[in-house]
Amino acid sequence: NAGVTQTPKFQVLKTGQSMTLQCAQDMNHEYMSWYRQDPGMGLRLIHYSVGAGITDQGEVPNGYNVSRSTTEDFPLRLLSAAPSQTSVYFCASRGIEMMNTEAFFGQGTRLTVV
Amino acid sequence: QQQVKQSPQSLIVQKGGISIINCAYENTAFDYFPWYQQFPGKGPALLIAIRPDVSEKKEGRFTISFNKSAKQFSLHIMDSQPGDSATYFCAATKETSGSRLTFGEGTQLTVNP
């Protein structure tokens, strides 16, 4: 059982470059979300999805796009990378049942923008 | 604006001691309060969670105390072990909001042998 898989694990981008962070889950979870982790700030929600075809903005959405064409995948796109987007990115998923509230996280993608 | 405030930022305890991490929240709509444990290079993993209908939840050496009127909750780690050394995050959410968690700033716990 792979859980939540993120690729790549590490990435270095130049300012202005674009890239897609991949996230896939094999638990048939409806809910998926993207967070960024910065020192002293905890994890902050970027975008989230409550199901295929449905996405919405979180706390820090600027500079990021998402789409959800399947239940399994939830890619995060950086259209024009900026040094302020240097961070560790985590994808999470959760089942829809009210009592199944555990969110499972991937291993993270460490992104450096130079 | 941080809706969940966590303290301390770092904590050093001796093996066998008690580790205490505190959190305070603002949004009274929150109805689920998990604690996550994160080891270096790994994603956060659920450690223990509580709902506001109880004031305390215990799982092994880990206990959450919850004070609804004060909008505060805390994690107690009894008999702390070197293997507990990690970063701990409190979080809060409304259960119907999916996987939208609001996290505290994190506490780096070091347990010395």
Side-chain angles (χ1 to χ4, degrees), chain A residues 31-33 35 37 40-43 45 48-50 59 90 92-94 98-99 101-103 105-108, chain B residues 1-2 9 32 36 38 41-46 51 89 94-106:
Chain A
Y31 300 141
M32 296 187 73
S33 50
Y35 296 85
Q37 182 177 11
M41 303 188 74
L43 286 84
L45 182 66
Y48 66 97
S49 171
V50 298
E59 180 185 354
F90 288 99
S93 74
R94 206 208 95 180
M98 277 299 292
M99 299 306 290
T101 43
E102 179 177 355
F105 285 80
Q107 299 271 309
Chain B
Q1 182 179 356
Q2 198 79 23
Q9 187 175 3
Y32 179 69
Y36 281 83
Q38 185 182 32
K42 303 294 185 182
L46 180 66
R51 292 180 175 85
F89 293 97
K94 188 168 175 58
E95 283 196 84
T96 55
S97 69
S99 57
R100 296 165 55 190
L101 293 157
T102 300
F103 283 88
E105 298 92 332

Side-chain angles (χ1 to χ4, degrees), chain B residues 7 17-18 38 40 50-51 60 81 83 95 97 106 110-111:
Chain B
S7 63
I18 302 173
Q38 185 182 32
I50 197 168
R51 292 180 175 85
Q81 299 297 312
E95 283 196 84
S97 69
T110 301
V111 182

Side-chain angles (χ1 to χ4, degrees), chain A residues 84-95:
Chain A
S84 61
Q85 294 178 304
T86 293
S87 187
V88 182
Y89 292 85
F90 288 99
C91 178
S93 74
R94 206 208 95 180

Side-chain angles (χ1 to χ4, degrees), chain A residues 46-106:
Chain A
I46 304 172
H47 285 285
Y48 66 97
S49 171
V50 298
I54 307 170
T55 64
D56 207 344
Q57 297 181 352
E59 180 185 354
V60 289
N62 293 340
Y64 308 95
N65 280 350
V66 292
S67 60
R68 183 102 179 267
S69 56
T70 67
T71 299
E72 295 77 20
D73 300 300
F74 191 41
L76 179 71
R77 298 184 184 85
L78 284 71
L79 298 179
S80 178
S84 61
Q85 294 178 304
T86 293
S87 187
V88 182
Y89 292 85
F90 288 99
C91 178
S93 74
R94 206 208 95 180
I96 199 170
E97 298 84 5
M98 277 299 292
M99 299 306 290
N100 181 15
T101 43
E102 179 177 355
F104 293 86
F105 285 80

Side-chain angles (χ1 to χ4, degrees), chain B residues 9 11 19 23 28 32 38 40 43 48 51-53 55-57 62 66 72 78 84 91 97 104-105 108-110 113:
Chain B
Q9 187 175 3
L11 181 62
S19 304
C23 285
T28 55
Y32 179 69
Q38 185 182 32
I48 186 172
R51 292 180 175 85
D53 53 342
S55 61
E56 185 175 283
K57 183 173 182 180
F62 301 92
F66 187 85
Q72 295 176 346
M78 311 300 288
D84 297 331
S97 69
E105 298 92 332
Q108 186 159 353
L109 172 66
T110 301

